[in-house]
Amino acid sequence: MSCFKAYDVRGNVPEELNPDLAWRIGQAYAQEMCPLEVVVGQDVRLSSPSLCQALTEGLLDGGVNVVDLGVCGTEEIYHATFSQGFDGGIVVTGSHNPADCNGMKFVRRGAVPISGDSGLQAIRSRAMSGDMSPVKRRGVRREECFRPQYVDHLMGYVDPAGLAPLKILANPGNGCAGMVLEPLRRQLPFAFTLINQEPDGTFPNGVPNPLLPERRQDTSSAVVASGADLGIAWDGDFDRCFIFDEKGAFIEGYYLVGLLAESLLGRSPGGKIIHDPRLTWNTIEMVRAAGGVAVESKTGHAFIKERMRAEDAIYGGEMSAHHYFRDFAYCDSGMIPWLLLAALMSASGRPLSAMVEERIRAFPCSGEINRKVADSAAAIRGVHRHFQPQAIEESWIDGLSMGFGTWRFNVRSSNTESLLRVNVESRGDRALMEGKTAEILGILNVFL
């Protein structure tokens, strides 16, 4: 049961996740959530068909009707769940992980996430115990395709008449994104150049995780070679997109949060924007300048989505490239962000580099730095002791955040990996930011 994580199921196949466990998870979901009809789908991984089939059999044996979308992206499951009124949705996906890994993501009616404290641990316990009540009838499976409706929803975020004929380099990473780009691009005035577009569960061009610096070069080089105005790369299940400017430079997700907030506040003046506490100053300044209200939330999709619903926020963004939208049932999408960004570029007539570089100069940041330490809690306490006498602001909403007027940092334990994550930013002083980053890392070296 080690594959059950804070927000989802993830593990190596077959050591941690296999068809037998997938069948039990399907049964346990049926027993715990009591749905009448659930939508399921799978990514392109070689292990996904057998896992999805076993999951489906478990749901059917639990008396649940199953609607199978086949190969699709995670957000297609979200969209089908909320738009078609299903009682829940499950996608079999390993997302950005290596080819020998796989997993599952779960939602209930309305595409509300099921995470550790909202039912996932109960599913784990029941799958482990095998405690299943008898059912009156076996469920029925049918196949459906809601991709046209999903594409229509995406097109609702832009006005094609207002879009410039941008050149776009798109890299699906041999995952699922290419399947959606085909019907989407026919409705857009953009000239697309695609690389690694064929779905291939062996990932012949490398693991689809553009957060890794070594996985960015093919996109960056192709942007420059094709003369594109914008580069986009996706992870395997395309619930995250990663952006490159016309020079092939990778744009930190932090700076995109402010731009997307600005775009959406233009449509919903005075709206609330949710952001995580890792890097904040640029987002807060841009949201306030656009007439919105910035609201801080603990990092993680379950926390962000819950806070968005509580605040009726129009948008939520994390620097890790998760972007959430009220009109998308508060779910994250890897397609909506680049469409909004292309619309912003079209309206401004400015290259993306110019739009971002002024924000980078105003608030230079370290980017997220990961460190393995022996004791995360002790390491955070050590950082706190060192900086407390100088701190003007201090918060423990998510790890430790401290502000010093001209610079700030956040140090937190990862929710999904055995890592300590460090983020530092300053007000227009790159040398200060870099010096303080080195100082924090020096303290953490004591705890390696």
Side-chain angles (χ1 to χ4, degrees), residues 216 252 254-255 278-279 319 360 363-370 407-411 421-426 429-430 432-438 440-441:
R216 299 173 188 168
E252 289 286 349
Y254 172 41
Y255 300 108
R278 289 173 285 187
L279 295 167
M319 56 167 289
I360 296 174
F363 298 101
C365 74
S366 62
E368 190 153 84
I369 301 169
N370 296 316
W407 73 284
R408 64 176 296 278
F409 73 83
N410 173 267
V411 180
R421 305 197 191 278
V422 179
N423 285 279
V424 185
E425 62 183 323
S426 72
D429 190 334
R430 176 165 292 277
L432 174 65
M433 179 274 295
E434 291 174 347
K436 292 302 181 181
T437 301
I440 293 170
L441 295 178

Side-chain angles (χ1 to χ4, degrees), residues 380-394 400 402-405 407 409 436 439 443:
I380 292 174
R381 288 195 300 270
V383 173
H384 181 247
R385 282 194 304 271
H386 180 86
F387 288 106
Q388 189 178 33
Q390 314 159 39
I392 298 173
E393 298 173 324
E394 179 181 315
L400 170 64
M402 303 185 89
F404 306 86
W407 73 284
F409 73 83
K436 292 302 181 181
E439 187 175 348
I443 296 167

Side-chain angles (χ1 to χ4, degrees), residues 67 81 86 147 150 216 329 332 346 354 374 404:
V67 177
T81 302
F86 293 121
R147 187 163 290 154
Y150 163 68
R216 299 173 188 168
D332 38 339
S346 298
F404 306 86

Side-chain angles (χ1 to χ4, degrees), residues 110-421:
V112 176
I114 299 172
S115 56
D117 58 356
S118 63
L120 189 56
Q121 287 307 310
I123 291 171
R124 177 188 183 276
S125 297
R126 194 179 287 269
M128 183 166 58
S129 69
D131 181 19
M132 309 293 176
S133 303
V135 298
K136 294 181 180 179
R137 65 163 186 86
R138 192 172 189 268
V140 176
R141 174 188 173 274
R142 73 178 193 275
E143 297 179 1
E144 290 276 6
C145 178
F146 301 111
R147 187 163 290 154
Q149 295 94 316
Y150 163 68
V151 170
D152 286 345
H153 181 93
L154 294 179
M155 289 301 299
Y157 291 87
V158 295
D159 175 10
L163 298 175
L166 300 175
K167 295 180 180 179
I168 294 180
L169 184 285
N171 180 3
N174 300 114
C176 297
M179 303 169 66
V180 170
L181 279 181
E182 284 305 312
L184 190 58
R185 64 193 290 196
R186 291 195 289 268
Q187 302 186 48
L188 295 165
F190 307 139
F192 284 89
T193 300
L194 273 69
I195 62 171
N196 307 330
Q197 70 265 35
E198 293 299 324
D200 186 338
T202 66
F203 302 124
N205 298 289
V207 60
N209 184 8
L211 265 187
L212 300 175
E214 63 269 23
R215 294 300 309 124
R216 299 173 188 168
Q217 190 56 53
D218 53 352
T219 307
S220 177
S221 298
V223 167
V224 175
S226 64
D229 301 297
L230 172 67
I232 315 161
W234 289 269
D235 60 1
D237 61 339
F238 73 83
D239 61 351
R240 289 185 298 165
C241 65
F242 302 84
I243 303 298
F244 297 75
D245 70 16
E246 76 284 358
K247 301 175 184 178
F250 177 80
I251 307 301
E252 289 286 349
Y254 172 41
Y255 300 108
L256 297 176
V257 174
L259 286 174
L260 294 176
E262 184 179 64
S263 170
L264 291 163
L265 285 167
R267 311 174 186 199
S268 302
K272 292 182 179 179
I273 305 296
I274 309 298
H275 64 89
D276 68 79
R278 289 173 285 187
L279 295 167
T280 66
W281 280 346
N282 180 67
T283 301
I284 292 169
E285 182 172 283
M286 292 191 72
V287 168
R288 288 176 178 170
V293 179
V295 179
E296 189 170 275
S297 167
K298 189 173 181 179
T299 305
H301 84 96
F303 301 113
I304 297 282
K305 291 174 180 175
E306 181 181 21
R307 190 65 183 273
M308 285 186 71
R309 283 185 164 85
E311 301 282 350
D312 193 30
I314 60 174
Y315 164 68
E318 295 184 271
M319 56 167 289
S320 55
H322 283 287
H323 301 281
Y324 310 85
F325 302 89
R326 180 174 65 188
D327 293 344
F328 199 60
Y330 305 100
C331 292
D332 38 339
S333 167
M335 286 292 167
I336 298 171
W338 71 264
L339 286 168
L340 292 174
L341 197 58
L344 270 178
M345 293 170 63
S346 298
S348 71
R350 302 170 66 200
L352 180 57
S353 62
M355 297 170 67
V356 174
E357 283 170 2
E358 63 184 39
R359 306 312 308 173
I360 296 174
R361 286 194 299 271
F363 298 101
C365 74
S366 62
E368 190 153 84
I369 301 169
N370 296 316
R371 284 289 185 273
K372 275 191 175 291
V373 295
D375 187 333
S376 294
I380 292 174
R381 288 195 300 270
V383 173
H384 181 247
R385 282 194 304 271
H386 180 86
F387 288 106
Q388 189 178 33
Q390 314 159 39
I392 298 173
E393 298 173 324
E394 179 181 315
S395 170
W396 294 87
I397 288 177
D398 193 357
L400 170 64
S401 296
M402 303 185 89
F404 306 86
T406 56
W407 73 284
R408 64 176 296 278
F409 73 83
N410 173 267
V411 180
R412 58 182 287 275
S413 298
S414 168
N415 291 322
T416 57
E417 300 176 82
S418 301
L419 295 170
L420 207 59
R421 305 197 191 278

